[in-house]
């Protein structure tokens, strides 16, 4: 009993310390963490937050922010990844700690360019908006005090005096709602967004903001602080880049894919070469369909295209023997004879499959890698069509694939907003005639797998009798992006490994 009492006392003291460190589940992330953590925890925290922000991005485009479906899906993701989702529990120290540390890790990774900063800022703002709006009125007031936004609440007498003006100036309010709602007297400069959209009553240089709309002011304040913090962090990058432990991790995070790597497929040997043309139309994402067509038209691909398409074909199940036959048949139809292919190209394909050189099992490219690295130049066909194509040329391509005009407009709007993966997801929906994919698209091989699952009614691909070989049969877990167990520790080295592969693809 005495031991139990001491244990409870020690736990109580620890809980008190923890509550002082994170008194609220929301924060503006003004103070960086000072504790030491392992590189394993560093990576796992960052990857979980990246998963969360990608879900925030996907939901923000797919649903109206704040509606029931949006809130339900986002709360489920917060629960699953063990981040704070409501400021009700006092014992969620681990979740608050993870939230704090992971934000600052991604801030380091996403301050490195204007595009990365813009993306990170938008997703963090959307996340804060959701979490702030989920608070009760009393908890919102506590949070405002916590971040030094203690606006003056107007008295009941003043509210009764201004009742008519508050009613007519605040959309969606009834007389009863005005009476029960707390209104704050806020400087006009703090409420510019509300003033611009005519959602607030203005008098004598002050805005009278209901508690339900105070989120606009909170977000404006947060945007200003986080924008400045990202700029300051970017200036500090040289000191971070000198740390040989952190810089590779940070570079990987800013280009990171957080799902399965598709390095080995359970479909290995189940696809025949005769199927590839039909599959390219039905189940290839636009980037791979473009590469396949260019290969058939020109009987050749430059090295960027060969790497992107070759690893994709490996991922969907082509064996080494099939790959050698596929590329050789196509290349010798052009300007490459058999001898030149055997000497200049066959070795690189075997290297691709881990049969030469370092014997590394190279992984297919993720969407993020395709979008963020090695942009195509004149004569190239690799890259992401949604990211790297001229919008007018993209429109013509989509028209040639019989995409409805309304669908093309939706895709081009997503492209304009730089939501390239969501544009590809919309392309999937339009070509497969579904309203909702039911998954977050992050990998060309994921696109293929989901397409085949949909077209085959959830059945596995049937094994072809005439397949060219069945080597390298391995087990692979086909988990989606939202898997908690997926950690990219093996993928963290994949970019470095691919550098060794580049030299074998330099011949055009």
């Amino acid at each position: 009993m005495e031991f139990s009492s001491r244990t409870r006392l020690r736990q109580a003291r620890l809980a008190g310390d923890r509550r002082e460190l994170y008194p609220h589940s929301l924060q503006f992330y003004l103070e960086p963490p000072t504790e030491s953590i392992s590189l394993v925890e560093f990576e796992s925290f960052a990857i979980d937050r990246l998963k969360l922000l990608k879900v925030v991005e996907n939901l923000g485009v797919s649903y109206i922010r704040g509606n029931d479906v949006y809130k339900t899906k986002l709360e489920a993701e917060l629960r699953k990844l063990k981040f704070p989702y409501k400021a009700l529990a006092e014992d969620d120290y681990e979740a608050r700690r993870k939230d704090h540390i992971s934000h600052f890790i991604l801030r380091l990774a996403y301050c490195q360019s204007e595009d990365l900063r813009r993306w990170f800022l938008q997703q963090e703002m959307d996340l804060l908006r959701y979490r702030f709006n989920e608070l009760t009125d009393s908890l919102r007031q506590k949070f405002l005090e916590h971040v030094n936004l203690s606006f003056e609440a107007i008295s009941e007498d003043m509210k009764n005096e201004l009742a008519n003006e508050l009613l007519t100036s605040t959309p969606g309010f009834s007389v009863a709602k005005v009476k029960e709602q707390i209104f704050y007297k806020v400087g006009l400069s703090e409420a510019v967004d509300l003033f611009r959209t005519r959602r607030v009553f203005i008098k004598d240089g002050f805005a009278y903001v209901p508690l339900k709309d105070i989120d606009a002011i909170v977000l404006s304040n947060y945007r200003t602080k986080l924008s400045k913090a990202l700029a300051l962090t970017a200036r500090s990058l040289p000191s971070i880049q000198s740390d040989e432990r952190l810089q590779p991790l940070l570079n990987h995070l800013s280009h990171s894919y957080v799902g399965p790597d598709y390095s080995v497929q359970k479909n290995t040997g189940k696809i025949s070469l005769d199927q590839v043309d039909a599959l390219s139309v039905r189940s290839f994402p636009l980037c791979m369909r473009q590469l396949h067509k260019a290969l058939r038209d020109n009987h050749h691909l430059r090295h960027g295209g060969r790497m992107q398409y070759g690893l994709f074909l490996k991922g969907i199940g082509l064996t080494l023997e099939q790959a050698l036959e596929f590329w050789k048949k196509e290349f010798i139809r052009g300007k490459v004879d058999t001898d030149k292919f055997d000497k200049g190209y066959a070795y690189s394909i075997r290297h691709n499959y881990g049969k030469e050189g370092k014997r590394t099992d190279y992984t297919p490219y993720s969407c993020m890698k395709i979008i963020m690295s090695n942009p195509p130049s004149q004569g190239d066909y690799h890259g992401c069509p949604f990211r790297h194509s001229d919008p007018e040329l993209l429109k013509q391509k989509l028209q040639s694939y019989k995409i409805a005009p309304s669908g093309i407009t939706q895709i081009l709007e997503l492209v304009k907003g730089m939501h390239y993966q969501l544009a590809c997801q919309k392309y999937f929906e339009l070509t497969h005639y579904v309203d909702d994919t039911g998954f977050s698209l992050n990998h060309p091989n994921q696109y293929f797998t989901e397409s085949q699952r949909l077209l085959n009614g959830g059945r596995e691909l049937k094994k072809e009798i005439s397949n060219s070989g069945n080597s390298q049969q391995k087990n692979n877990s086909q988990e989606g992006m939202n898997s908690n167990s997926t950690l990219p520790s093996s993928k963290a080295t994949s970019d470095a490994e691919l550098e060794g592969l580049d030299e074998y693809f330099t011949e055009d």
Side-chain angles (χ1 to χ4, degrees):
M1 285 294 291
E2 188 175 338
F3 175 80
S4 299
S5 298
R6 283 201 302 269
T7 302
R8 283 197 299 272
L9 181 61
R10 188 161 57 249
Q11 288 175 341
R13 284 201 300 269
L14 186 60
D17 293 341
R18 288 175 168 184
R19 281 197 293 271
E20 288 178 11
L21 188 59
Y22 298 118
H24 204 284
S25 69
L26 295 186
Q27 58 171 306
F28 276 180
Y29 310 101
L30 301 178
E31 296 294 331
T34 56
E35 65 176 286
S36 298
I37 63 171
S38 69
L39 286 176
V40 172
E41 195 171 37
F42 182 98
E43 186 179 25
S44 66
F45 278 11
I47 288 298
D48 280 354
R49 193 175 195 91
L50 186 54
K51 287 181 181 180
L52 176 62
L53 295 187
K54 286 184 179 294
V55 170
V56 169
E57 178 190 30
N58 187 50
L59 293 177
V61 175
S62 303
Y63 303 98
I64 298 173
R65 291 187 184 92
N67 71 9
D68 290 341
V69 178
Y70 177 93
K71 291 192 290 187
T72 300
K73 287 181 177 289
L74 188 48
E75 179 178 331
E77 193 68 18
L78 286 162
R79 283 175 177 267
K80 186 174 69 176
L81 294 174
K82 298 181 179 178
F83 284 102
Y85 60 94
K86 288 182 185 287
L88 300 176
E90 293 184 351
D91 58 352
D92 62 348
Y93 167 79
E94 291 300 335
R96 297 182 186 190
R97 172 178 174 269
K98 180 178 181 178
D99 176 56
H100 183 215
I101 294 172
S102 64
H103 169 89
F104 277 92
I105 296 172
L106 285 198
R107 186 188 289 187
L108 283 172
Y110 279 78
C111 71
Q112 301 182 58
S113 73
E114 183 59 36
D115 285 345
L116 291 175
R117 288 193 291 270
R118 187 185 303 114
W119 183 86
F120 179 72
L121 180 63
Q122 184 59 58
Q123 310 325 315
E124 287 285 345
M125 285 186 59
D126 286 348
L127 179 60
L128 184 76
R129 177 190 290 111
Y130 162 77
R131 291 166 67 184
F132 180 78
N133 286 329
E134 287 298 291
L135 302 179
T136 62
D137 287 353
S138 61
L139 287 172
R140 286 189 199 181
Q141 183 61 42
K142 288 181 180 178
F143 174 69
L144 292 176
E145 294 170 1
H146 176 62
V147 295
N148 296 318
L149 290 177
S150 301
F151 303 121
E152 177 190 352
I154 65 174
S155 65
E156 285 298 317
D157 289 342
M158 178 171 285
K159 187 162 66 172
N160 291 333
E161 181 183 334
L162 300 174
N164 290 333
E165 289 86 349
L166 295 175
L167 177 64
T168 56
S169 302
T170 312
F173 268 33
S174 62
V175 174
K177 189 71 174 176
V178 169
K179 288 183 178 180
E180 68 182 36
Q181 186 78 191
I182 300 172
F183 282 81
Y184 293 89
K185 187 177 180 181
V186 178
L188 184 56
S189 61
E190 299 261 26
V192 172
D193 290 341
L194 292 172
F195 173 65
R196 187 183 296 121
T197 54
R198 299 176 182 271
R199 290 165 49 201
V200 69
F201 173 60
I202 303 294
K203 182 180 180 183
D204 299 332
F206 289 95
Y208 291 80
V209 184
L211 182 60
K212 79 171 188 68
D213 285 337
I214 209 74
D215 63 337
I217 296 173
V218 171
L219 287 168
S220 177
N221 198 282
Y222 180 55
R223 175 192 286 275
T224 300
K225 286 180 167 57
L226 184 53
S227 294
K228 290 180 179 178
L230 284 167
L232 290 172
T233 306
R235 293 181 195 172
S236 304
L237 274 180
S239 61
I240 299 295
Q241 290 167 342
S242 63
D243 191 322
E244 61 184 18
R245 300 167 306 161
L246 291 183
Q247 187 54 31
L249 282 172
L250 295 176
N251 284 339
H252 175 71
L253 285 169
S254 63
H255 297 74
S256 186
Y257 162 65
V258 290
D261 61 18
Y262 297 96
S263 59
V264 184
Q265 278 282 333
K266 58 186 176 182
N267 291 331
T268 299
K270 294 184 180 180
I271 295 174
S272 74
L273 297 183
D274 293 337
Q275 291 178 291
V276 175
D277 285 332
L279 288 172
S280 72
V281 175
R282 292 185 300 155
S283 293
F284 282 16
L286 190 58
C287 58
M288 301 304 170
R289 186 174 181 179
Q290 172 176 282
L291 282 165
H292 182 78
K293 185 177 186 304
L295 178 61
R296 291 302 197 205
D297 290 346
N298 305 320
H299 314 302
H300 188 271
L301 284 176
R302 298 174 70 177
H303 101 273
R306 294 198 301 272
M307 288 187 70
Q308 182 175 320
Y309 190 40
L311 290 170
F312 169 79
L313 291 175
K314 175 191 175 186
I316 69 172
L318 258 62
T319 64
L320 172 59
E321 292 78 10
Q322 288 177 309
L324 287 166
E325 180 183 349
F326 173 79
W327 289 101
K328 185 173 184 177
K329 278 185 176 179
E330 198 59 50
F331 272 45
I332 63 176
R333 293 177 64 193
K335 298 179 181 180
V336 177
D337 59 30
T338 300
D339 187 57
K340 184 177 181 181
F341 180 87
D342 290 340
K343 291 180 179 178
Y345 297 95
Y347 179 90
S348 64
I349 296 171
R350 291 196 299 273
H351 194 279
N352 197 343
Y353 278 75
K355 299 301 181 182
E356 301 287 357
K358 294 185 295 182
R359 310 279 175 172
T360 302
D361 190 17
Y362 295 103
T363 60
Y365 288 1
S366 68
C367 291
M368 188 63 76
K369 180 171 179 61
I370 293 170
I371 289 169
M372 298 295 291
S373 60
N374 190 24
S377 57
Q378 186 68 31
D380 286 328
Y381 294 92
H382 66 273
C384 171
F386 303 105
R387 169 66 179 89
H388 299 119
S389 293
D390 177 82
E392 188 58 37
L393 293 177
L394 176 61
K395 179 179 179 180
Q396 292 173 16
K397 186 184 295 290
L398 294 172
Q399 288 172 338
S400 71
Y401 292 157
K402 310 300 182 186
I403 305 297
S406 60
I408 293 175
T409 300
Q410 288 177 292
I411 288 174
L412 293 178
E413 280 299 312
L414 290 168
V415 168
K416 184 178 179 181
M418 297 188 293
H419 301 295
Y420 308 117
Q421 290 165 244
L422 295 175
C424 191
Q425 193 161 313
K426 176 58 67 175
Y427 173 77
F428 182 102
E429 293 172 358
L430 294 168
T431 54
H432 290 76
Y433 306 102
V434 294
D435 292 330
D436 186 358
T437 59
F439 61 89
S440 296
L441 183 62
N442 290 280
H443 203 293
N445 290 84
Q446 179 195 13
Y447 184 109
F448 176 83
T449 300
E450 296 294 344
S451 172
Q452 285 295 294
R453 182 177 292 124
L454 184 64
L455 295 173
N456 294 330
R459 298 188 301 275
E460 296 291 331
L461 284 170
K462 293 182 179 178
K463 184 172 178 116
E464 289 292 315
I465 302 299
S466 60
N467 66 65
S468 302
N470 194 27
S471 62
Q472 300 190 84
Q473 288 281 1
K474 302 177 186 176
N475 293 325
N476 184 47
S477 173
Q478 293 289 341
E479 294 177 37
M481 172 189 170
N482 294 331
S483 168
N484 276 340
S485 62
T486 304
L487 286 176
S489 55
S490 62
K491 293 187 285 296
T493 58
S494 64
D495 289 347
E497 292 169 345
L498 282 168
E499 290 176 5
L501 184 60
D502 285 347
E503 61 185 279
Y504 299 107
F505 285 87
T506 53
E507 182 179 358
D508 288 338

